[in-house]
Amino acid sequence: MVKKNVFSKGKNLIALSLTSVFLVACEEEAPVVEKTYRPVQYIKVQPIGAVLTDTFSGVVEADLDANLSFRVGGTITNRLVKVGDQVKADQLLAELDATDFQVSYQQAQASLQQAIANQRNQEASYDRVVELYENNNSSKSDLDAARAGAESARAATTVARRQAEAARLQVSYTKLRAPQACSIAQVLADTNEAVSPGQGVIRVNCGACAKVKVSVPDQLINNISKGDDVVVTTAAFSGQEFKAKVTEVGVAATSGGTFPIEALLQGDCPDLRAGMSANLLFNFSDLTGSESAKRLIVPYLSIGEDEKGNFVFVLTPVSDGIFRAERRAIEFQAGSNNGAEILSGVNSGELVATAGVRRLLDGMEVKLLEKPIVGNN
């Protein structure tokens, strides 16, 4: 009887041990779920005049960047330049095989000479018929026929002369020349290649100074005008600043709600090459103190609407790098080209989500993208 109890206790102990091992194994195999946060774009709400300066990234472009092409098709027989060459205005860059065009020109010249000779004969015949008619030795119908022949010959000569000129131009179109002083940026077709009319053959960058093209959000576009002075910086010339002037201001927004701005470098232009990244620094300090500079402006796309009214999502910090989206009812005044003017609901200095408002929920935790839409703060 004692042996039986000992054996039963042993079985229970083994079962308990196996259960413990199983539970430990389950705990070790449980997957670790890492919490993810939706990244959001944002804006720091502040009066327009508080943004004294702002920098926008863009790219360097040549003042004239064009792909040169032949106006006629054919086979390239000669390429006279290579990438990096500096060329002068009207300098010969490449040539096509002009044999067929030269033959056509010679035929057109022969046709012109024949038309001129025929015109000379018809006019001489007309002069004789006029003299005979005046002496009553020719009829009126003969005079009319002679006049028509002379006029037809003159018209044929005019057509032949234009055809000869067109054939001469076709021959000249077999030579590709530089439109102005340029740099050869790229060779798109080489010797012995057949090209069609309009097909790019040589890419050129022209102009004394390069330009920088950036995109500016609608909150600031109305504060930028053609002729404004700006500063250009680039990683290729670290620590240096170059003067530029705004030459083009976009009047229509591109995808993403931004407007294109172009600024042309001034003075002694640095050797900035097309395709380099660059930054444009705008100075808005002259707006400080004006009534319009005190307005709080947010992009229209940051404003949502439901049955309760208009709202934005204000982003408040929770922990390091994590923010909570708080639904905030607002009142705003529409009609401004550079955004909606906030009348109530948001304070200066608060962060507001600017994209994906419909996908946010009140209380949702999010992460901010590295750079806000406006400002460097």
Side-chain angles (χ1 to χ4, degrees), residues 62-77:
D63 189 28
L64 172 63
D65 188 340
N67 289 335
L68 303 183
S69 61
F70 291 101
R71 298 178 66 173
V72 295
T75 301
I76 300 175
T77 58

mmCIF file with all atom_site columns, all heavy atoms in Angstrom, residues 62-77:
data_model
loop_
_atom_site.group_PDB
_atom_site.id
_atom_site.type_symbol
_atom_site.label_atom_id
_atom_site.label_alt_id
_atom_site.label_comp_id
_atom_site.label_asym_id
_atom_site.label_entity_id
_atom_site.label_seq_id
_atom_site.pdbx_PDB_ins_code
_atom_site.Cartn_x
_atom_site.Cartn_y
_atom_site.Cartn_z
_atom_site.occupancy
_atom_site.B_iso_or_equiv
_atom_site.pdbx_formal_charge
_atom_site.auth_seq_id
_atom_site.auth_comp_id
_atom_site.auth_asym_id
_atom_site.auth_atom_id
_atom_site.pdbx_PDB_model_num
ATOM 1   N N   . ALA A 1 62 ? 20.750 74.178 -66.372 1.00 0.00 ? 62 ALA A N   1
ATOM 2   C CA  . ALA A 1 62 ? 21.357 75.157 -67.267 1.00 0.00 ? 62 ALA A CA  1
ATOM 3   C C   . ALA A 1 62 ? 20.310 76.184 -67.669 1.00 0.00 ? 62 ALA A C   1
ATOM 4   O O   . ALA A 1 62 ? 19.106 75.895 -67.686 1.00 0.00 ? 62 ALA A O   1
ATOM 5   C CB  . ALA A 1 62 ? 21.920 74.463 -68.503 1.00 0.00 ? 62 ALA A CB  1
ATOM 6   N N   . ASP A 1 63 ? 20.784 77.403 -68.002 1.00 0.00 ? 63 ASP A N   1
ATOM 7   C CA  . ASP A 1 63 ? 19.858 78.435 -68.449 1.00 0.00 ? 63 ASP A CA  1
ATOM 8   C C   . ASP A 1 63 ? 19.107 77.965 -69.691 1.00 0.00 ? 63 ASP A C   1
ATOM 9   O O   . ASP A 1 63 ? 17.922 78.249 -69.871 1.00 0.00 ? 63 ASP A O   1
ATOM 10  C CB  . ASP A 1 63 ? 20.620 79.726 -68.732 1.00 0.00 ? 63 ASP A CB  1
ATOM 11  C CG  . ASP A 1 63 ? 19.695 80.894 -68.997 1.00 0.00 ? 63 ASP A CG  1
ATOM 12  O OD1 . ASP A 1 63 ? 18.573 80.885 -68.468 1.00 0.00 ? 63 ASP A OD1 1
ATOM 13  O OD2 . ASP A 1 63 ? 20.077 81.804 -69.749 1.00 0.00 ? 63 ASP A OD2 1
ATOM 14  N N   . LEU A 1 64 ? 19.803 77.226 -70.573 1.00 0.00 ? 64 LEU A N   1
ATOM 15  C CA  . LEU A 1 64 ? 19.171 76.584 -71.720 1.00 0.00 ? 64 LEU A CA  1
ATOM 16  C C   . LEU A 1 64 ? 19.680 75.161 -71.786 1.00 0.00 ? 64 LEU A C   1
ATOM 17  O O   . LEU A 1 64 ? 20.874 74.922 -71.958 1.00 0.00 ? 64 LEU A O   1
ATOM 18  C CB  . LEU A 1 64 ? 19.499 77.321 -73.023 1.00 0.00 ? 64 LEU A CB  1
ATOM 19  C CG  . LEU A 1 64 ? 19.047 76.617 -74.316 1.00 0.00 ? 64 LEU A CG  1
ATOM 20  C CD1 . LEU A 1 64 ? 17.529 76.502 -74.347 1.00 0.00 ? 64 LEU A CD1 1
ATOM 21  C CD2 . LEU A 1 64 ? 19.554 77.341 -75.548 1.00 0.00 ? 64 LEU A CD2 1
ATOM 22  N N   . ASP A 1 65 ? 18.794 74.224 -71.619 1.00 0.00 ? 65 ASP A N   1
ATOM 23  C CA  . ASP A 1 65 ? 19.123 72.799 -71.691 1.00 0.00 ? 65 ASP A CA  1
ATOM 24  C C   . ASP A 1 65 ? 18.288 72.200 -72.814 1.00 0.00 ? 65 ASP A C   1
ATOM 25  O O   . ASP A 1 65 ? 17.069 72.086 -72.692 1.00 0.00 ? 65 ASP A O   1
ATOM 26  C CB  . ASP A 1 65 ? 18.817 72.119 -70.356 1.00 0.00 ? 65 ASP A CB  1
ATOM 27  C CG  . ASP A 1 65 ? 19.320 70.680 -70.300 1.00 0.00 ? 65 ASP A CG  1
ATOM 28  O OD1 . ASP A 1 65 ? 19.556 70.098 -71.368 1.00 0.00 ? 65 ASP A OD1 1
ATOM 29  O OD2 . ASP A 1 65 ? 19.468 70.142 -69.188 1.00 0.00 ? 65 ASP A OD2 1
ATOM 30  N N   . ALA A 1 66 ? 18.937 71.836 -73.923 1.00 0.00 ? 66 ALA A N   1
ATOM 31  C CA  . ALA A 1 66 ? 18.180 71.410 -75.100 1.00 0.00 ? 66 ALA A CA  1
ATOM 32  C C   . ALA A 1 66 ? 18.852 70.226 -75.790 1.00 0.00 ? 66 ALA A C   1
ATOM 33  O O   . ALA A 1 66 ? 20.087 70.096 -75.766 1.00 0.00 ? 66 ALA A O   1
ATOM 34  C CB  . ALA A 1 66 ? 18.036 72.566 -76.091 1.00 0.00 ? 66 ALA A CB  1
ATOM 35  N N   . ASN A 1 67 ? 18.025 69.383 -76.382 1.00 0.00 ? 67 ASN A N   1
ATOM 36  C CA  . ASN A 1 67 ? 18.505 68.306 -77.236 1.00 0.00 ? 67 ASN A CA  1
ATOM 37  C C   . ASN A 1 67 ? 18.435 68.789 -78.684 1.00 0.00 ? 67 ASN A C   1
ATOM 38  O O   . ASN A 1 67 ? 17.353 69.018 -79.216 1.00 0.00 ? 67 ASN A O   1
ATOM 39  C CB  . ASN A 1 67 ? 17.645 67.044 -77.071 1.00 0.00 ? 67 ASN A CB  1
ATOM 40  C CG  . ASN A 1 67 ? 17.856 66.382 -75.722 1.00 0.00 ? 67 ASN A CG  1
ATOM 41  O OD1 . ASN A 1 67 ? 18.903 66.537 -75.100 1.00 0.00 ? 67 ASN A OD1 1
ATOM 42  N ND2 . ASN A 1 67 ? 16.875 65.633 -75.264 1.00 0.00 ? 67 ASN A ND2 1
ATOM 43  N N   . LEU A 1 68 ? 19.589 68.948 -79.311 1.00 0.00 ? 68 LEU A N   1
ATOM 44  C CA  . LEU A 1 68 ? 19.642 69.407 -80.692 1.00 0.00 ? 68 LEU A CA  1
ATOM 45  C C   . LEU A 1 68 ? 19.404 68.236 -81.632 1.00 0.00 ? 68 LEU A C   1
ATOM 46  O O   . LEU A 1 68 ? 19.860 67.112 -81.377 1.00 0.00 ? 68 LEU A O   1
ATOM 47  C CB  . LEU A 1 68 ? 20.994 70.049 -80.988 1.00 0.00 ? 68 LEU A CB  1
ATOM 48  C CG  . LEU A 1 68 ? 21.400 71.230 -80.099 1.00 0.00 ? 68 LEU A CG  1
ATOM 49  C CD1 . LEU A 1 68 ? 22.725 71.807 -80.564 1.00 0.00 ? 68 LEU A CD1 1
ATOM 50  C CD2 . LEU A 1 68 ? 20.324 72.294 -80.080 1.00 0.00 ? 68 LEU A CD2 1
ATOM 51  N N   . SER A 1 69 ? 18.714 68.495 -82.729 1.00 0.00 ? 69 SER A N   1
ATOM 52  C CA  . SER A 1 69 ? 18.389 67.439 -83.677 1.00 0.00 ? 69 SER A CA  1
ATOM 53  C C   . SER A 1 69 ? 18.466 67.978 -85.099 1.00 0.00 ? 69 SER A C   1
ATOM 54  O O   . SER A 1 69 ? 18.402 69.193 -85.325 1.00 0.00 ? 69 SER A O   1
ATOM 55  C CB  . SER A 1 69 ? 16.984 66.881 -83.409 1.00 0.00 ? 69 SER A CB  1
ATOM 56  O OG  . SER A 1 69 ? 16.007 67.914 -83.547 1.00 0.00 ? 69 SER A OG  1
ATOM 57  N N   . PHE A 1 70 ? 18.594 67.062 -86.062 1.00 0.00 ? 70 PHE A N   1
ATOM 58  C CA  . PHE A 1 70 ? 18.554 67.431 -87.473 1.00 0.00 ? 70 PHE A CA  1
ATOM 59  C C   . PHE A 1 70 ? 17.101 67.617 -87.909 1.00 0.00 ? 70 PHE A C   1
ATOM 60  O O   . PHE A 1 70 ? 16.194 66.956 -87.393 1.00 0.00 ? 70 PHE A O   1
ATOM 61  C CB  . PHE A 1 70 ? 19.199 66.345 -88.340 1.00 0.00 ? 70 PHE A CB  1
ATOM 62  C CG  . PHE A 1 70 ? 20.688 66.233 -88.171 1.00 0.00 ? 70 PHE A CG  1
ATOM 63  C CD1 . PHE A 1 70 ? 21.239 65.235 -87.380 1.00 0.00 ? 70 PHE A CD1 1
ATOM 64  C CD2 . PHE A 1 70 ? 21.534 67.124 -88.808 1.00 0.00 ? 70 PHE A CD2 1
ATOM 65  C CE1 . PHE A 1 70 ? 22.609 65.120 -87.225 1.00 0.00 ? 70 PHE A CE1 1
ATOM 66  C CE2 . PHE A 1 70 ? 22.914 67.021 -88.659 1.00 0.00 ? 70 PHE A CE2 1
ATOM 67  C CZ  . PHE A 1 70 ? 23.450 66.020 -87.867 1.00 0.00 ? 70 PHE A CZ  1
ATOM 68  N N   . ARG A 1 71 ? 16.897 68.491 -88.881 1.00 0.00 ? 71 ARG A N   1
ATOM 69  C CA  . ARG A 1 71 ? 15.555 68.714 -89.423 1.00 0.00 ? 71 ARG A CA  1
ATOM 70  C C   . ARG A 1 71 ? 15.223 67.744 -90.546 1.00 0.00 ? 71 ARG A C   1
ATOM 71  O O   . ARG A 1 71 ? 14.097 67.740 -91.049 1.00 0.00 ? 71 ARG A O   1
ATOM 72  C CB  . ARG A 1 71 ? 15.426 70.160 -89.900 1.00 0.00 ? 71 ARG A CB  1
ATOM 73  C CG  . ARG A 1 71 ? 15.591 71.166 -88.767 1.00 0.00 ? 71 ARG A CG  1
ATOM 74  C CD  . ARG A 1 71 ? 15.505 72.593 -89.244 1.00 0.00 ? 71 ARG A CD  1
ATOM 75  N NE  . ARG A 1 71 ? 14.178 72.928 -89.744 1.00 0.00 ? 71 ARG A NE  1
ATOM 76  C CZ  . ARG A 1 71 ? 13.801 74.148 -90.101 1.00 0.00 ? 71 ARG A CZ  1
ATOM 77  N NH1 . ARG A 1 71 ? 14.674 75.153 -90.026 1.00 0.00 ? 71 ARG A NH1 1
ATOM 78  N NH2 . ARG A 1 71 ? 12.592 74.380 -90.550 1.00 0.00 ? 71 ARG A NH2 1
ATOM 79  N N   . VAL A 1 72 ? 16.220 66.960 -90.956 1.00 0.00 ? 72 VAL A N   1
ATOM 80  C CA  . VAL A 1 72 ? 16.013 65.919 -91.963 1.00 0.00 ? 72 VAL A CA  1
ATOM 81  C C   . VAL A 1 72 ? 16.607 64.623 -91.436 1.00 0.00 ? 72 VAL A C   1
ATOM 82  O O   . VAL A 1 72 ? 17.435 64.637 -90.514 1.00 0.00 ? 72 VAL A O   1
ATOM 83  C CB  . VAL A 1 72 ? 16.659 66.298 -93.311 1.00 0.00 ? 72 VAL A CB  1
ATOM 84  C CG1 . VAL A 1 72 ? 15.979 67.514 -93.924 1.00 0.00 ? 72 VAL A CG1 1
ATOM 85  C CG2 . VAL A 1 72 ? 18.158 66.533 -93.152 1.00 0.00 ? 72 VAL A CG2 1
ATOM 86  N N   . GLY A 1 73 ? 16.191 63.507 -91.990 1.00 0.00 ? 73 GLY A N   1
ATOM 87  C CA  . GLY A 1 73 ? 16.712 62.217 -91.579 1.00 0.00 ? 73 GLY A CA  1
ATOM 88  C C   . GLY A 1 73 ? 17.897 61.797 -92.418 1.00 0.00 ? 73 GLY A C   1
ATOM 89  O O   . GLY A 1 73 ? 18.102 62.292 -93.530 1.00 0.00 ? 73 GLY A O   1
ATOM 90  N N   . GLY A 1 74 ? 18.696 60.884 -91.877 1.00 0.00 ? 74 GLY A N   1
ATOM 91  C CA  . GLY A 1 74 ? 19.840 60.379 -92.621 1.00 0.00 ? 74 GLY A CA  1
ATOM 92  C C   . GLY A 1 74 ? 20.825 59.687 -91.715 1.00 0.00 ? 74 GLY A C   1
ATOM 93  O O   . GLY A 1 74 ? 20.541 59.419 -90.540 1.00 0.00 ? 74 GLY A O   1
ATOM 94  N N   . THR A 1 75 ? 22.004 59.406 -92.251 1.00 0.00 ? 75 THR A N   1
ATOM 95  C CA  . THR A 1 75 ? 23.063 58.727 -91.512 1.00 0.00 ? 75 THR A CA  1
ATOM 96  C C   . THR A 1 75 ? 24.148 59.724 -91.125 1.00 0.00 ? 75 THR A C   1
ATOM 97  O O   . THR A 1 75 ? 24.622 60.498 -91.966 1.00 0.00 ? 75 THR A O   1
ATOM 98  C CB  . THR A 1 75 ? 23.679 57.601 -92.357 1.00 0.00 ? 75 THR A CB  1
ATOM 99  O OG1 . THR A 1 75 ? 22.654 56.674 -92.714 1.00 0.00 ? 75 THR A OG1 1
ATOM 100 C CG2 . THR A 1 75 ? 24.753 56.871 -91.579 1.00 0.00 ? 75 THR A CG2 1
ATOM 101 N N   . ILE A 1 76 ? 24.539 59.707 -89.862 1.00 0.00 ? 76 ILE A N   1
ATOM 102 C CA  . ILE A 1 76 ? 25.575 60.621 -89.386 1.00 0.00 ? 76 ILE A CA  1
ATOM 103 C C   . ILE A 1 76 ? 26.920 60.189 -89.953 1.00 0.00 ? 76 ILE A C   1
ATOM 104 O O   . ILE A 1 76 ? 27.347 59.036 -89.786 1.00 0.00 ? 76 ILE A O   1
ATOM 105 C CB  . ILE A 1 76 ? 25.629 60.640 -87.849 1.00 0.00 ? 76 ILE A CB  1
ATOM 106 C CG1 . ILE A 1 76 ? 24.290 61.110 -87.272 1.00 0.00 ? 76 ILE A CG1 1
ATOM 107 C CG2 . ILE A 1 76 ? 26.753 61.554 -87.356 1.00 0.00 ? 76 ILE A CG2 1
ATOM 108 C CD1 . ILE A 1 76 ? 24.214 61.054 -85.753 1.00 0.00 ? 76 ILE A CD1 1
ATOM 109 N N   . THR A 1 77 ? 27.580 61.094 -90.648 1.00 0.00 ? 77 THR A N   1
ATOM 110 C CA  . THR A 1 77 ? 28.895 60.798 -91.226 1.00 0.00 ? 77 THR A CA  1
ATOM 111 C C   . THR A 1 77 ? 30.035 61.418 -90.445 1.00 0.00 ? 77 THR A C   1
ATOM 112 O O   . THR A 1 77 ? 31.183 60.985 -90.569 1.00 0.00 ? 77 THR A O   1
ATOM 113 C CB  . THR A 1 77 ? 28.967 61.310 -92.680 1.00 0.00 ? 77 THR A CB  1
ATOM 114 O OG1 . THR A 1 77 ? 28.711 62.722 -92.692 1.00 0.00 ? 77 THR A OG1 1
ATOM 115 C CG2 . THR A 1 77 ? 27.945 60.606 -93.555 1.00 0.00 ? 77 THR A CG2 1
#
